[in-house]
Amino acid sequence: MFNFAVFVLTTGLLPTLAVATFDGNINYASPSRRHSGLGVDVPRVSRRSLKRSAVAYKADELSFTHGVASGDPYSDSLILWTRVAPSPASDASNVTVEGTVPLYNHDTETYIRADPSPICVEWKVYDVDRNIVTNGEAYTTSDIDYTIKIEATGLQPFTYYNYQFTICGSDKTSPIGRAKTAPPTDADVSEVKLAVFSCSNYPNGYFNAYGNAARKDEHDFIVHLGDYIYEGNAKGERTHEPPKYLFSLLDYRTRHGQYRSDPDLQLASQNFAWIATWDDHEVSDNGYRDGSSALNNTEESFLNDGRVSVDQRKMNAVRAYFEWMPIRQVDLDDNLRVWRSFQMGNLLDLIILDTRNYDRSITSLNWNDEYIDLIRNDASRTLMGSHQENWFYNQLSKSSERGATWRIVGNQIIFSYITESYGLGGDNWNGYIANRNRTLKHLYDNNITNNIFLAGDSHQNWVSDLVWLDEKPYDSETGTGSIGVEFAGTAVSSTGFNGRIVPARTEAQNRVGNNTMLQWQDGYYRGYFLLCVSPQKLEARYYGSPSVASRNSWDLPLANFTVVAGENKLARPVGGGSVEAGFLRGGETKPTNITLNTDTWEWEVVGYDQMYIKT
């Protein structure tokens, strides 16, 4: 049940020809001072607001078009987000990503088309007793697609707050949001709960998993491992907008706006702080540092695939992502950086990686698989680049040295050495074997224990002991030799196994049989999983959506797993010896279809013939 506290942000109008201050909105800053095109020329925007007949929007001309959101919780602050605009449609101006676009240049021509009337927004944060804890003002314009993103500071640790935005000088308010701060670094914390999602494809199905988790209200924070949007042109009843592949800034802004129009995504965003990273589809499928499967860094690809360069397309996508997501810019001197960490008491360190866009070596592009197979074990291959990779190992060591019980690694792709019927994939860690071996070597050599790897991307559920095959001894029956556990989750709505439940179970059985570390697998259900982390143990509870072909509130428990602190393996019997779906090594699959309705809190036997929307 919801028991939401009350925190308020307020948004107001800029009086006609008043001098606007834009510094409060961190969306004007660039994620990188070395890439100034990702920032906005604040003085020029301010000057433009005073030009000619600049007239402020009236409150009744504006609305909060896409709800509210929060993210990146620290012990004393939160990122808060909304959008206030004259229309739900995104702005068509391309000025923030074209030309030289230095942050503080004196050019004016490129900004002529931008909105001359900045919109003023007040924001307030309240505690449970409705006492104002912190508040402020920020402005937005079309330059940043009318988005507002601020950091609310001076908050108490591990505390729920509510927030709301109001248009200045009016009583027009946003929905009330709720969010929780993180625990302080050195605190004794009894439990932290994380709801983990990935791969939400709008045309493919409804975002039932978001709504179910939000209504159940069991978790503290949401972790999203990427593929939050998709760049394709799928059709159907939830056809993508714009109805084409994404290339321009307007394209990506419009797609973000469409996804944020989904009521279940809005509900989950409104009531929980998100910790998000991107995968490939936020830019382009199977992306790496110099291209993707759909756009290569060649003249031929430029002419045939959108007439945009790889770098410009990525710049457009990054610009829109930072505008529309409640994410911190943790290092303004480092381009493209979303990798960062969160210390949650002495209980856990959550280490968020970018194995896609930062500095990844070439990946499988659907035409070069033989080449990838030849080079997959080269020492030079990296998913992260040397800067991030060294940072990652240092984070693991520092976490262990400071005495945090658990190290939880949020990455995009399957870490374990999974052999498929066709052999090894090239777009996950199997395509970068030396990188994986360096990671495992660091863990084993430094005796870093209690490691939990999270993954999305595959659109299926996988649970494995974390092992270094052929290098360290491992007993699949007992789990001895493991250095941790990997929990990989299915998609919110993207396609996994495209067939019936029984054939999906057979495929899962084959996968478990072919991979000694793999303990459970299911490719049929869409859904999410909940991590319940305590000093004594970590539990992973998997939930499935029986169908995403319609919007519904059915939530099916699939499997539960336990990792006892200090044991570095799945507790035996794995999954308690029984699961609802898929195939469990050494256990039974007992399908009941007894499903919770998260609207009525009633349990019923539920089944659907169709999993996905037809596109």
Side-chain angles (χ1 to χ4, degrees):
M1 294 289 238
F2 284 123
N3 211 359
F4 293 154
V6 186
F7 208 98
V8 180
L9 297 181
T10 340
T11 352
L13 278 213
L14 179 69
T16 302
L17 298 179
V19 178
T21 59
F22 298 86
D23 294 341
N25 190 348
I26 61 177
N27 264 347
Y28 280 96
S30 168
S32 168
R33 293 193 181 113
R34 293 198 301 272
H35 291 261
S36 56
L38 295 179
V40 173
D41 187 341
V42 171
R44 178 164 51 194
V45 175
S46 299
R47 289 196 303 274
R48 192 174 61 247
S49 71
L50 301 177
K51 289 184 63 177
R52 301 191 305 270
S53 57
V55 177
Y57 286 104
K58 297 178 181 178
D60 59 11
E61 297 176 297
L62 299 167
S63 61
F64 292 95
T65 57
H66 293 83
V68 296
S70 65
D72 279 14
Y74 285 177
S75 62
D76 61 352
S77 70
L78 290 158
I79 299 298
L80 305 175
W81 180 96
T82 193
R83 183 175 186 268
V84 58
S87 167
S90 284
D91 189 77
S93 172
N94 209 42
V95 297
T96 58
V97 292
E98 66 184 7
T100 54
V101 284
L103 261 176
Y104 297 113
N105 73 16
H106 296 282
D107 177 49
T108 58
E109 183 60 29
T110 55
Y111 286 82
I112 294 297
R113 295 172 296 171
D115 189 342
S117 304
I119 299 167
C120 174
V121 173
E122 295 175 347
W123 57 267
K124 296 180 182 179
V125 176
Y126 290 84
D127 62 19
V128 293
D129 297 319
R130 297 190 63 85
N131 299 310
I132 296 176
V133 176
T134 183
N135 62 344
E137 287 186 359
Y139 290 85
T140 188
T141 75
S142 58
D143 296 290
I144 55 172
D145 206 11
Y146 300 103
T147 56
I148 291 279
K149 189 163 67 173
I150 62 96
E151 182 179 17
T153 59
L155 308 179
Q156 293 299 306
F158 217 35
T159 301
Y160 277 115
Y161 292 94
N162 288 88
Y163 62 93
Q164 192 174 35
F165 299 90
T166 302
I167 297 174
C168 293
S170 80
D171 58 1
K172 198 163 192 177
T173 59
S174 74
I176 296 173
R178 183 193 71 162
K180 192 175 190 178
T181 51
T185 301
D186 57 353
D188 293 330
V189 181
S190 60
E191 187 175 49
V192 170
K193 293 183 177 181
L194 307 173
V196 184
F197 299 89
S198 63
C199 305
S200 40
N201 189 323
Y202 190 92
N204 211 61
Y206 287 85
F207 295 165
N208 298 329
Y210 290 147
N212 286 333
R215 284 184 291 272
K216 287 163 67 177
D217 194 20
E218 294 180 309
H219 52 280
D220 299 302
F221 310 108
I222 285 177
V223 176
H224 201 292
L225 299 174
D227 289 348
Y228 166 82
I229 67 166
Y230 278 70
E231 85 288 11
N233 64 345
K235 311 301 181 187
E237 65 183 80
R238 277 163 63 96
T239 185
H240 260 148
E241 293 293 338
K244 65 190 186 79
Y245 279 92
L246 308 184
F247 294 101
S248 71
L249 175 59
L250 176 59
D251 292 344
Y252 284 101
R253 283 173 167 176
T254 301
R255 189 64 53 85
H256 274 278
Q258 180 184 39
Y259 276 57
R260 280 218 177 270
S261 71
D262 181 89
D264 290 306
L265 174 55
Q266 286 194 8
L267 185 66
S269 298
Q270 180 179 346
N271 293 300
F272 300 95
W274 286 46
I275 299 171
T277 186
W278 51 41
D279 199 349
D280 52 346
H281 288 286
E282 284 86 351
V283 181
S284 182
D285 185 32
N286 287 20
Y288 70 107
R289 64 183 169 223
D290 292 318
S292 65
S293 61
L295 186 65
N296 300 305
N297 212 358
T298 64
E299 181 181 7
E300 179 183 9
S301 187
F302 175 85
L303 294 174
N304 296 329
D305 301 320
R307 299 191 73 86
V308 63
S309 70
V310 166
D311 294 329
Q312 184 62 54
R313 187 187 195 187
K314 184 180 290 187
M315 187 174 179
N316 297 339
V318 168
R319 176 80 213 177
Y321 187 87
F322 272 90
E323 287 174 351
W324 281 83
M325 296 296 289
I327 184 174
R328 292 179 188 268
Q329 299 163 352
V330 293
D331 186 348
L332 296 181
D333 289 324
D334 198 342
N335 63 315
L336 301 178
R337 178 171 174 176
V338 296
W339 39 277
R340 60 208 191 280
S341 62
F342 299 84
Q343 296 178 336
M344 297 195 178
N346 53 25
L347 180 61
L348 68 92
D349 284 348
L350 177 61
I351 304 169
I352 300 295
L353 302 180
D354 176 2
T355 60
R356 278 295 183 188
N357 296 305
Y358 186 71
D359 195 12
R360 177 182 176 133
S361 303
I362 191 170
T363 188
S364 170
L365 302 174
N366 301 324
W367 51 264
N368 65 340
D369 288 345
E370 291 184 3
Y371 172 54
I372 296 299
D373 195 47
L374 292 173
I375 65 173
R376 68 174 70 245
N377 202 27
D378 283 4
S380 61
R381 285 181 61 68
T382 176
L383 283 161
M384 295 175 268
S386 61
H387 185 191
Q388 182 184 181
E389 193 174 325
N390 289 327
W391 171 89
F392 175 39
Y393 302 150
N394 287 333
Q395 290 294 306
L396 292 169
S397 293
K398 289 178 181 177
S399 174
S400 180
E401 291 164 1
R402 82 176 187 89
T405 302
W406 302 95
R407 275 140 296 285
I408 301 178
V409 179
N411 103 119
Q412 292 73 18
I413 50 181
I414 300 293
F415 183 86
S416 296
Y417 192 101
I418 299 295
T419 302
E420 297 279 19
S421 58
Y422 55 81
L424 297 178
D427 192 48
N428 53 28
W429 284 79
N430 279 343
Y432 304 80
I433 291 176
N435 196 164
R436 177 169 55 207
N437 289 345
R438 289 191 293 269
T439 303
L440 291 167
K441 178 177 172 58
H442 185 82
L443 295 175
Y444 278 101
D445 286 358
N446 293 280
N447 194 29
I448 299 173
T449 59
N450 288 341
N451 307 297
I452 305 296
F453 276 61
L454 312 179
D457 182 68
S458 73
H459 309 171
Q460 306 201 30
N461 291 313
W462 316 70
V463 174
S464 306
D465 286 325
L466 199 66
V467 303
W468 195 357
L469 291 178
D470 301 326
E471 186 68 27
K472 301 292 183 180
Y474 169 68
D475 186 326
S476 181
E477 185 175 342
T478 66
T480 302
S482 176
I483 196 69
V485 172
E486 178 173 33
F487 294 111
T490 187
V492 171
S493 61
S494 303
T495 302
F497 182 86
N498 199 1
R500 298 288 184 174
I501 293 178
V502 173
R505 191 181 309 150
T506 300
E507 183 172 278
Q509 181 176 359
N510 292 336
R511 282 179 166 147
V512 172
N514 291 335
N515 296 279
T516 58
M517 83 297 293
L518 182 59
Q519 300 295 320
W520 177 65
Q521 207 277 329
D522 172 65
Y524 181 79
Y525 285 100
R526 310 301 86 204
Y528 67 102
F529 62 98
L530 178 69
L531 286 184
C532 305
V533 189
S534 72
Q536 296 77 32
K537 63 183 179 179
L538 180 147
E539 294 180 332
R541 304 170 188 171
Y542 280 76
Y543 297 94
S545 300
S547 174
V548 295
S550 64
R551 188 184 179 208
N552 62 74
S553 54
W554 296 111
D555 195 58
L556 176 65
L558 299 179
N560 297 319
F561 303 94
T562 300
V563 183
V564 177
E567 292 195 356
N568 301 309
K569 62 181 182 179
L570 290 159
R572 268 55 176 181
V574 175
S578 176
V579 294
E580 168 76 24
F583 185 82
L584 178 68
R585 183 184 297 276
E588 296 180 276
T589 302
K590 298 179 179 179
T592 66
N593 292 333
I594 299 175
T595 311
L596 174 67
N597 186 321
T598 60
D599 275 328
T600 66
W601 298 98
E602 296 175 346
W603 293 85
E604 295 183 30
V605 175
V606 172
Y608 285 85
D609 291 328
Q610 182 179 337
M611 175 58 76
Y612 310 103
I613 293 175
K614 295 179 180 178
T615 58

